[in-house]
Amino acid sequence: MTTQRTLRLPAGEFLYRDTGTPDRPTVLALHGMGRDGSDWDATAQALAPEFRLVALDLRGHGQSVRTEQYSLEAMRDDVVAFVEALQLDNFVLLGFSLGGVVAYLYAQAHPARVRQLVTVDTPLPTTWEQPVPPAQAPEGVRHDWNATSQLFPELHTTNDRWWNDLARIG
């Protein structure tokens, strides 16, 4: 059974889904751009007999806080605060796309806390050409479009420190 909870972190209120029991090994799952933690519901149900899956709505997404400023490192810091609040240790960190970038930034900063890092369709910190998103959100967008506008340049520009720090992940 999945329980939705909110948690106050330094940036504001965050929603997360918690499936399974706390006595099982934990998987912390981070969604892609424009999505939310519900993307992991089917995965959580499939893993529930053996794992606890915690799926966080990243800032600007789902029902989590909207902020004036967005950055990948701010999202990483949200995950740092979330992990501390839930007292997670030795967990599997799973990220899709944007969530994968936030996951490897977390794993670089706290490699001893992450048992395994799994990323899916996640860009490495290299420069690659992509069309710039439109200034106004397309119809039907449910997340804070400022997150897309502000994060897009970071996702598509080389950050040498992030590239070099990948070696910190064991």
Side-chain angles (χ1 to χ4, degrees), residues 89-111:
D89 196 28
N90 195 31
F91 59 94
V92 176
L93 185 53
L94 170 62
F96 172 74
S97 191
L98 166 68
V101 175
V102 175
Y104 72 63
L105 291 176
Y106 179 90
Q108 289 173 348
H110 302 278

Side-chain angles (χ1 to χ4, degrees), residues 85-152:
L86 267 60
Q87 300 178 332
L88 302 179
D89 196 28
N90 195 31
F91 59 94
V92 176
L93 185 53
L94 170 62
F96 172 74
S97 191
L98 166 68
V101 175
V102 175
Y104 72 63
L105 291 176
Y106 179 90
Q108 289 173 348
H110 302 278
R113 296 196 88 156
V114 178
R115 179 193 317 178
Q116 293 175 316
L117 172 64
V118 180
T119 63
V120 180
D121 199 21
T122 300
L124 290 172
T126 58
T127 301
W128 50 296
E129 294 293 322
Q130 289 289 313
V132 175
Q136 297 297 317
E139 188 173 326
V141 168
R142 297 181 324 203
H143 71 287
D144 185 349
W145 192 249
N146 290 324
T148 298
S149 301
Q150 292 177 34
L151 293 170
F152 191 85

Side-chain angles (χ1 to χ4, degrees), residues 4-164:
Q4 287 190 17
R5 296 187 169 108
T6 58
L7 182 63
R8 176 159 287 284
L9 300 176
E13 292 284 324
F14 286 78
L15 182 120
Y16 68 98
R17 290 159 178 76
D18 197 341
T19 306
T21 58
D23 66 332
R24 306 305 303 162
T26 299
V27 176
L28 172 54
L30 305 175
H31 59 80
M33 180 77 77
R35 307 298 301 169
D36 63 37
S38 69
D39 282 357
W40 299 106
D41 286 352
T43 303
Q45 293 306 315
L47 294 177
E50 301 298 322
F51 293 90
R52 172 190 185 199
L53 190 135
V54 179
L56 176 65
D57 284 1
L58 295 169
R59 79 167 57 193
H61 293 78
Q63 295 179 45
S64 286
V65 64
R66 271 53 174 156
T67 59
E68 292 292 318
Q69 298 295 318
Y70 292 92
S71 74
L72 295 166
E73 289 182 348
M75 289 181 153
R76 177 211 49 213
D77 294 345
D78 295 337
V79 173
V80 170
F82 182 75
V83 166
E84 289 297 321
L86 267 60
Q87 300 178 332
L88 302 179
D89 196 28
N90 195 31
F91 59 94
V92 176
L93 185 53
L94 170 62
F96 172 74
S97 191
L98 166 68
V101 175
V102 175
Y104 72 63
L105 291 176
Y106 179 90
Q108 289 173 348
H110 302 278
R113 296 196 88 156
V114 178
R115 179 193 317 178
Q116 293 175 316
L117 172 64
V118 180
T119 63
V120 180
D121 199 21
T122 300
L124 290 172
T126 58
T127 301
W128 50 296
E129 294 293 322
Q130 289 289 313
V132 175
Q136 297 297 317
E139 188 173 326
V141 168
R142 297 181 324 203
H143 71 287
D144 185 349
W145 192 249
N146 290 324
T148 298
S149 301
Q150 292 177 34
L151 293 170
F152 191 85
E154 266 192 296
L155 286 169
H156 301 284
T157 305
T158 298
N159 185 318
D160 292 334
R161 184 172 41 82
W162 295 352
W163 185 256
N164 293 333

